[in-house]
Amino acid sequence: MSSSRSIRWLPLTEADPVANQSLDEALLRARSHPTLRFYRWNPPGLSLGYFQRAVELEPRDALPDHRLVRRTTGGKAIFHDRTELTFAWVYPETWLPGSVPSSYDVVHAMLRAAARACFVELENRGAHSPIASDVAGSPWCFHDSSERCQILRGRKVIGTAQRRIDQWVLHHGSILLEEARPTKGTGGLRDVRPTLSFDELEAAIVTAFADGFSASIVPGEPRMEERTAARELARERYGCETFTHRR
Amino acid sequence: MRPADRRYKESHEWAKQDGALVIVGITDHAVEQLGDLTFLEFRVEAGQEVNAGDHFGEIESVKTVADLYIPISGTVREVNAGLPDALDALQENPFEGGWMLKIEPKDPAELEAMMDTVDYETHVAG
């Protein structure tokens, strides 16, 4: 069956934390096409939630080398280590009308389908709380689970958050293939599938989104104006101490 | 039925005439769609001129940050500065304790052009 919906797929790349966050916001503000982008962090990044106080993560001297950045999405801090696959899903609200929590449920169901295709069975945390990876009062996303969290063997392995502007949504997702160094006690998909590669997981997520949204997938790359906007955002926002330490 | 003493925007803000000023907030539908509110920050202050559609703040719920938009052009006369620390008021009663701004309107006709309660109910139901 042919589909009138299409998703632009921006395949896995690797960039520094400022460039990664700048491009995600540029894609959101462009509001041009539903886009699923994958990336890794080089150097590793420590991202603060949009409203999070930077002081919660101080001192950072004991942490592995990283660059600090603030996300435009909500939630708590994440240490984006070399073993994390990150996605940015940019779409118009009309694709998932309903409440904000229900939009998480739909995306999380697609992530479960993708993991299952990689022979990893994720579960919704549900009402069961606390779980093994929870640490009371921790500033880290992966130490704080909610009922919608995706868990593996009782530990949080995916962190997601959103930003909504002008009826478009940026849904960020951090998927741990292995535990990030500073957030001990979490887990990763390789706990179950030690050979799981970034490419295999990415391909499974692309397929799950295509199926879930009944959409065709069109591989692409950021347009010139999106790249230009990203450079501007890097200069004026994500690369600026005033934004990173705004709270 | 939502209060009939005010007007509504498709983007789920309400605006209510109060003497020479217009009180502004977001609707119960917006609050319901967002889920549990965790943070609110205003980006405008008293004395600032604003235009309908301008961004005036951000609100976070369930790890989602959403922009807030000005429903009516004019000059901000008061900001409900205590609201970010009293989000229960917004969660429980967005039409009264959850008000956000008081604006001196530039053109009162802008308020009239917004949806009345019946139209807004239809919009939300659709």
Side-chain angles (χ1 to χ4, degrees), chain A residues 29 50-51 72-75 97-101 104 146 149 156 159-167 246-247, chain B residues 10-11 32-36 38-41 43 53 55 57-69:
Chain A
R29 292 195 178 275
Y50 185 75
F51 276 104
T72 193
T73 49
S99 69
V100 168
Y104 279 88
S146 66
C149 279
K156 184 170 177 178
T160 72
Q162 295 181 1
R163 176 69 188 226
R164 292 177 173 238
I165 295 175
D166 289 334
Q167 282 144 31
R246 72 178 198 91
R247 283 175 72 94
Chain B
E10 283 185 4
S11 43
E32 216 175 274
Q33 293 292 296
L34 284 165
D36 290 339
T38 48
F39 292 101
L40 169 66
E41 212 169 70
R43 296 271 174 210
H55 158 226
E58 290 117 6
I59 192 162
E60 179 170 336
S61 66
V62 288
K63 301 185 291 176
T64 294
V65 180
D67 281 10
L68 299 168
Y69 300 99

Side-chain angles (χ1 to χ4, degrees), chain A residues 26 30 32 222-231:
Chain A
S32 63
R223 298 197 322 266
M224 183 65 84
E225 52 269 39
E226 291 167 334
R227 288 182 196 277
T228 304
R231 278 196 296 273

Side-chain angles (χ1 to χ4, degrees), chain B residues 21-89:
Chain B
L21 302 181
V22 171
I23 308 177
V24 164
I26 60 173
T27 69
D28 60 326
H29 179 78
V31 169
E32 216 175 274
Q33 293 292 296
L34 284 165
D36 290 339
L37 306 176
T38 48
F39 292 101
L40 169 66
E41 212 169 70
F42 293 121
R43 296 271 174 210
V44 293
E45 49 191 41
Q48 192 174 329
E49 283 190 23
V50 291
N51 291 308
D54 284 355
H55 158 226
F56 77 88
E58 290 117 6
I59 192 162
E60 179 170 336
S61 66
V62 288
K63 301 185 291 176
T64 294
V65 180
D67 281 10
L68 299 168
Y69 300 99
I70 295 278
I72 188 160
S73 307
T75 306
V76 177
R77 290 300 175 206
E78 194 178 337
V79 175
N80 189 353
L83 194 59
D85 295 321
L87 289 173
D88 285 355

Side-chain angles (χ1 to χ4, degrees), chain A:
Chain A
M1 192 177 83
S2 68
S3 166
S4 57
R5 280 180 164 183
S6 69
I7 295 172
R8 175 175 55 159
W9 168 33
L10 305 184
L12 184 60
T13 54
E14 188 171 291
D16 71 77
V18 169
N20 276 335
Q21 295 311 289
S22 302
L23 181 54
D24 288 349
E25 183 170 335
L27 297 174
L28 172 64
R29 292 195 178 275
R31 297 186 297 151
S32 63
H33 203 283
T35 299
L36 181 59
R37 171 171 117 81
F38 294 88
Y39 56 92
R40 295 174 67 183
W41 304 64
N42 187 14
L46 193 172
S47 74
L48 300 165
Y50 185 75
F51 276 104
Q52 192 167 24
R53 293 190 187 282
V55 70
E56 289 179 37
L57 275 304
E58 300 292 347
R60 293 181 289 114
D61 311 353
L63 296 175
D65 277 347
H66 66 276
R67 178 154 188 192
L68 182 68
V69 68
R70 185 178 290 279
R71 300 189 307 272
T72 193
T73 49
K76 292 188 171 185
I78 294 179
F79 191 91
H80 305 275
D81 220 335
R82 300 288 302 140
T83 48
E84 174 188 313
L85 176 66
T86 309
F87 70 82
W89 165 228
V90 177
Y91 66 98
E93 286 180 353
T94 50
W95 275 41
L96 289 177
S99 69
V100 168
S102 68
S103 70
Y104 279 88
D105 291 340
V106 174
V107 170
H108 287 174
M110 292 177 198
L111 296 176
R112 280 198 302 279
R116 191 172 306 123
C118 298
F119 308 101
V120 178
E121 283 294 332
L122 299 178
E123 292 175 280
N124 248 338
R125 193 210 72 173
H128 180 69
S129 170
I131 55 173
S133 50
D134 284 348
V135 177
S138 170
W140 298 107
C141 163
F142 280 98
H143 281 161
D144 181 30
S145 69
S146 66
E147 61 180 315
R148 291 191 156 76
C149 279
Q150 301 306 295
I151 62 173
L152 178 65
R153 294 179 170 173
R155 295 169 191 277
K156 184 170 177 178
V157 290
I158 299 180
T160 72
Q162 295 181 1
R163 176 69 188 226
R164 292 177 173 238
I165 295 175
D166 289 334
Q167 282 144 31
W168 276 66
V169 182
L170 162 62
H171 196 141
H172 268 153
S174 291
I175 306 174
L176 302 183
L177 274 72
E178 295 172 24
E179 175 184 82
R181 285 168 288 173
T183 46
K184 300 290 177 211
T186 60
L189 274 56
R190 283 179 178 161
D191 293 348
V192 174
R193 267 287 310 283
T195 57
L196 180 63
S197 72
F198 284 89
D199 291 343
E200 181 183 359
L201 181 57
E202 178 187 20
I205 295 171
V206 169
T207 301
F209 272 59
D211 293 346
F213 287 107
S214 302
S216 58
I217 299 293
V218 182
E221 51 185 50
R223 298 197 322 266
M224 183 65 84
E225 52 269 39
E226 291 167 334
R227 288 182 196 277
T228 304
R231 278 196 296 273
E232 218 162 281
L233 283 161
R235 202 170 47 244
E236 293 173 3
R237 192 169 168 87
Y238 293 99
C240 289
E241 283 292 297
T242 46
F243 180 67
T244 306
H245 287 93
R246 72 178 198 91
R247 283 175 72 94

